[in-house]
Amino acid sequence: MVANGSVTDEGADLLRRIAASGESFLVYALPRNAGKSTLTNAILAEAPANVPRREFLGTREEVAELSAHPDRGFLVVGEIGHRGRPGYLAGDEVERAFGLVADGYRLASSLHADSVAEVFEVLARNGISADAAAGIRYLVKVRGLGDLADPATRRVVEHINEVTGFGAHGPAYSVLYRWAPQSASR
């Protein structure tokens, strides 16, 4: 990702630290094909090998099985906010995922949003309270630079944010990384 200008060395180090931290993270972008799933998988690939990864499709049966499992790790959800493919969760399925987060799992997923505020709006529309959403520590925004239907289109990590709390006006966060076109162009 560094070699093709998708992220700087500093940004790549932050993504590695997110993976190593074992904290919940969401990758977001508004358009389809922006690279959300690819970036989510790239972050997970940097997590320690001994940290379990559990694919979650949103069923009650999975909740029962995962709740009984002593080893917590990443709960991997294809996408949050709409259905359409296995692993794309909405409504009660998202609530089940966040129930597991409250039970000690860490969420690794993506969703369609264009800002931090929109990320939490998507979660709220799917039944997630601000208290439950507080289980998400990192938000990573990816952006395509051109025609997203073209696989050769470059994608960049635009922002990496750390959620620091929730107030009356929504989430508080720190910007840990911001993509700068001049520093990432190659």
Side-chain angles (χ1 to χ4, degrees):
M1 291 174 58
V2 172
N4 72 7
S6 293
V7 68
T8 63
D9 288 323
E10 173 195 11
D13 287 344
L14 278 168
L15 294 173
R16 284 186 202 97
R17 285 200 311 252
I18 290 169
S21 76
E23 295 290 334
S24 292
F25 68 90
L26 294 173
V27 175
Y28 69 99
L30 193 55
R32 293 185 66 227
N33 300 320
K36 296 179 298 296
S37 297
T38 300
L39 184 55
T40 300
N41 290 328
I43 294 169
L44 284 170
E46 294 294 327
N50 65 338
V51 175
R53 293 161 185 82
R54 312 267 190 245
E55 298 287 330
F56 185 66
L57 301 177
T59 68
R60 287 183 184 90
E61 295 79 17
E62 288 173 295
V63 171
E65 178 185 329
L66 291 170
S67 294
H69 203 285
D71 294 328
R72 302 297 195 255
F74 281 111
L75 188 69
V76 182
V77 173
E79 196 163 293
I80 291 175
H82 63 93
R83 293 180 179 99
R85 290 193 228 178
Y88 282 39
L89 310 184
D92 57 345
E93 299 160 337
V94 177
E95 291 176 26
R96 288 184 198 116
F98 274 82
L100 288 166
V101 170
D103 196 29
Y105 281 91
R106 298 298 184 244
L107 184 64
S109 188
S110 65
L111 54 77
H112 289 256
D114 199 38
S115 67
V116 170
E118 286 181 19
V119 166
F120 290 98
E121 287 171 16
V122 169
L123 295 176
R125 281 194 309 267
N126 285 277
I128 305 305
S129 68
D131 286 342
I136 302 300
R137 174 93 183 261
Y138 296 102
L139 302 172
V140 182
K141 183 176 183 186
V142 64
R143 179 176 129 198
L145 303 176
D147 178 6
L148 296 177
D150 179 357
T153 294
R154 188 166 138 221
R155 279 97 167 135
V156 298
V157 175
E158 186 172 26
H159 295 118
I160 301 173
N161 301 304
E162 180 178 14
V163 179
T164 57
F166 283 83
H169 301 290
Y173 60 94
S174 299
V175 178
L176 302 177
Y177 173 83
R178 184 181 318 271
W179 177 72
Q182 66 277 9
S183 68
S185 61
R186 297 213 179 234

